[in-house]
Amino acid sequence: MIRRFRDARFKVLSESSAVVFFICTGIGAIWFVLPPLAESLVGNLTYVGILLAIPGLMSLLVDIPLGDLCDKADKKKILFWGLILLGLTWIYFGWIETTAQLLLFLIVFGILHTVAYIVTASYVMEASPTNLKSTYLGTYTSFMHVGFAVGALIAGYMAMDAIISNARVIGLLFALMCLIGALTSLTLKGGSIESFREGLSDVVRKDGIFRKELSDYKSLGFTGFAVIALTLLFTVFDGVVWTLEPLLYQQFNLSTIQGGVILAAFIIPLIVFEAPAGYLADKYGKRMILALGLIIAGVATIRFSSSENFIGLTTYAFIATLGLSLAWPATEGILADHATDKKKGELVGVWRSSADLGYVIGPLTGGILAQYTSITTVFSIAGVVLVAASLLALSLGKIR
């Protein structure tokens, strides 16, 4: 399915996947703590949603210029120093005691954590062979979600029903993962085109920070719109899951370990099935696999919303994400098929902006709806929307 290890392209895929695995392990652990920490400080699900939307909002502001900068300056240096700075935020995270302190952490965290995603995705997109784009990107994304699952499970085990009091040690795990990820990034090839200062100057002066990147993405037409819309949907759903699941399991008197298992069930299919799903999309057609995945995800999410026990919640969480594991690599492959060699960083930046917008909308709308209805109602609505979105996938008539 993937070329032998000695292939330079596969080497880039392996190195980028290793970096993103370590970083996402740390982020998965931190994100397991953030919802209960925020709720303990504000005591209102609407405010929890607002707070947890902040990292996505900050990432949204830097995604596009950062993607453009990756095309102009040394990606390796950007990645290394971005991860070092991200790890240093632990020094502050472990001592958060007020809403204002949490707000400051979320702002800095949102700006820095997106570096790992954009730079590594840019490396993989550049290395992907023409006929294996969904396969490569699916493999890369699988490692990303391995990290999220491992991080959530470790945090659930470390917390042992005392999440807030163990925030400092979980934050230390986050810092360690950032350090390992930074050191792993040193194996990647730099390939500097300009110095960081020159590249940043070009992004600001020549490209107008957002103007050129949005113009280039607009040239993709309806396909570009569909990729953004579907990516937005996926990350809105993901944002809802990471915001509300750490609160939902408590309603059924489940332990933190069981809560971590349910959250991991929302992630594990993305580990196991994304690479095979990418291969299926490349072989049998991205549009068909995308639509099938959305239908499976939607139906399972509706069933998840009506479950009240550990087995049911875990099973339907797994099946819902099985559907998304079919849809994600197909969508990424469609974007990669339309990206030109010299503008992959730009397109990744715009694409990641749509993803991060979902991480603003998901926690925000999920928190508000949950406050005035219920958490299970939010998941029920999400399931209906996923099924309806399969019609958008089927409208991509010219996409194989």
Side-chain angles (χ1 to χ4, degrees):
M1 187 184 300
I2 304 259
R3 298 168 188 259
R4 63 185 183 278
F5 182 79
R6 290 189 298 273
D7 190 299
R9 293 175 181 269
F10 186 47
K11 184 174 183 291
V12 173
L13 171 63
S14 302
E15 292 166 344
S16 299
S17 297
V19 173
V20 84
F21 163 74
F22 290 121
I23 299 309
C24 290
T25 298
I27 292 174
I30 283 289
W31 208 266
F32 190 77
V33 178
L34 285 175
L37 176 60
E39 187 184 36
S40 71
L41 293 174
V42 298
N44 182 292
L45 287 177
T46 298
Y47 296 146
V48 170
I50 292 172
L51 284 170
L52 297 187
I54 290 172
L57 178 62
M58 300 313 300
S59 297
L60 180 64
L61 296 177
V62 301
D63 280 338
I64 293 178
L66 179 58
D68 192 12
L69 185 62
C70 286
D71 289 333
K72 294 177 167 60
D74 191 334
K75 293 195 290 287
K76 180 177 176 179
K77 290 182 179 179
I78 295 171
L79 181 59
F80 177 81
W81 289 110
L83 297 182
I84 291 295
L85 291 173
L86 180 63
L88 289 175
T89 62
W90 165 76
I91 297 173
Y92 182 80
F93 176 78
W95 283 263
I96 292 175
E97 295 181 349
T98 67
T99 303
Q101 291 173 335
L102 177 60
L103 177 63
L104 180 59
F105 171 80
L106 292 172
I107 290 171
V108 177
F109 176 77
I111 292 172
L112 292 175
H113 87 292
T114 195
V115 172
Y117 302 138
I118 288 187
V119 178
T120 54
S122 178
Y123 269 113
V124 174
M125 194 172 286
E126 287 178 358
S128 301
T130 302
N131 61 335
L132 289 173
K133 292 188 182 299
S134 288
T135 307
Y136 264 58
L137 287 162
T139 302
Y140 159 80
T141 310
S142 291
F143 277 92
M144 179 186 297
H145 291 292
V146 170
F148 288 142
V150 171
L153 287 171
I154 292 175
Y157 176 78
M158 293 173 69
M160 294 299 289
D161 297 318
I163 297 176
I164 308 303
S165 61
N166 284 291
R168 292 181 183 179
V169 68
I170 293 172
L172 180 59
L173 169 66
F174 169 68
L176 178 62
M177 291 299 103
C178 289
L179 177 60
I180 295 174
L183 294 175
T184 305
S185 72
L186 296 176
T187 64
L188 288 162
K189 183 179 179 181
S192 177
I193 302 171
E194 302 176 358
S195 69
F196 180 84
R197 182 177 180 180
E198 290 172 335
L200 187 60
S201 177
D202 283 349
V203 169
V204 175
R205 295 180 181 180
K206 293 183 180 180
D207 297 347
I209 302 180
F210 299 106
R211 187 184 64 249
K212 182 177 181 294
E213 294 80 1
L214 292 173
S215 177
D216 288 338
Y217 193 91
K218 186 178 179 181
S219 66
L220 299 182
F222 178 74
T223 298
F225 164 78
V227 168
I228 281 183
L230 290 167
T231 301
L232 182 62
L233 174 62
F234 300 155
T235 55
V236 166
F237 179 80
D238 205 28
V240 166
V241 168
W242 282 89
T243 300
L244 298 182
E245 191 281 337
L247 303 175
L248 175 65
Y249 76 86
Q250 299 176 28
Q251 295 184 0
F252 302 116
N253 296 317
L254 301 176
S255 69
T256 56
I257 294 177
Q258 289 175 311
V261 170
I262 296 169
L263 188 56
F266 271 113
I267 305 166
I268 289 173
L270 295 167
I271 301 166
V272 178
F273 299 113
E274 275 211 82
Y279 175 75
L280 292 175
D282 287 327
K283 186 174 179 63
Y284 296 108
K286 300 177 180 66
R287 181 169 64 108
M288 182 185 72
I289 298 299
L290 174 58
L292 176 64
L294 287 167
I295 292 171
I296 293 173
V299 173
T301 301
I302 293 171
R303 293 293 298 150
F304 176 85
S305 69
S306 62
S307 299
E308 297 182 357
N309 58 73
F310 173 68
I311 299 297
L313 291 168
T314 303
T315 300
Y316 289 115
F318 185 92
I319 297 172
T321 309
L322 171 61
L324 289 180
S325 72
L326 295 174
W328 258 117
T331 305
E332 294 166 340
I334 291 170
L335 177 63
D337 284 342
H338 291 78
T340 60
D341 289 339
K342 294 183 179 180
K343 296 180 180 179
K344 285 186 169 62
E346 290 183 6
L347 297 183
V348 167
V350 177
W351 173 55
R352 280 302 313 178
S353 290
S354 68
D356 284 322
L357 181 59
Y359 290 119
V360 176
I361 296 174
L364 188 59
T365 58
I368 293 172
L369 287 173
Q371 179 68 29
Y372 293 102
T373 57
S374 68
I375 294 177
T376 55
T377 299
V378 176
F379 280 102
S380 180
I381 294 170
V384 172
V385 174
L386 285 167
V387 173
S390 64
L391 298 176
L392 177 60
L394 292 173
S395 69
L396 293 170
K398 295 183 180 180
I399 302 296
R400 242 199 108 250

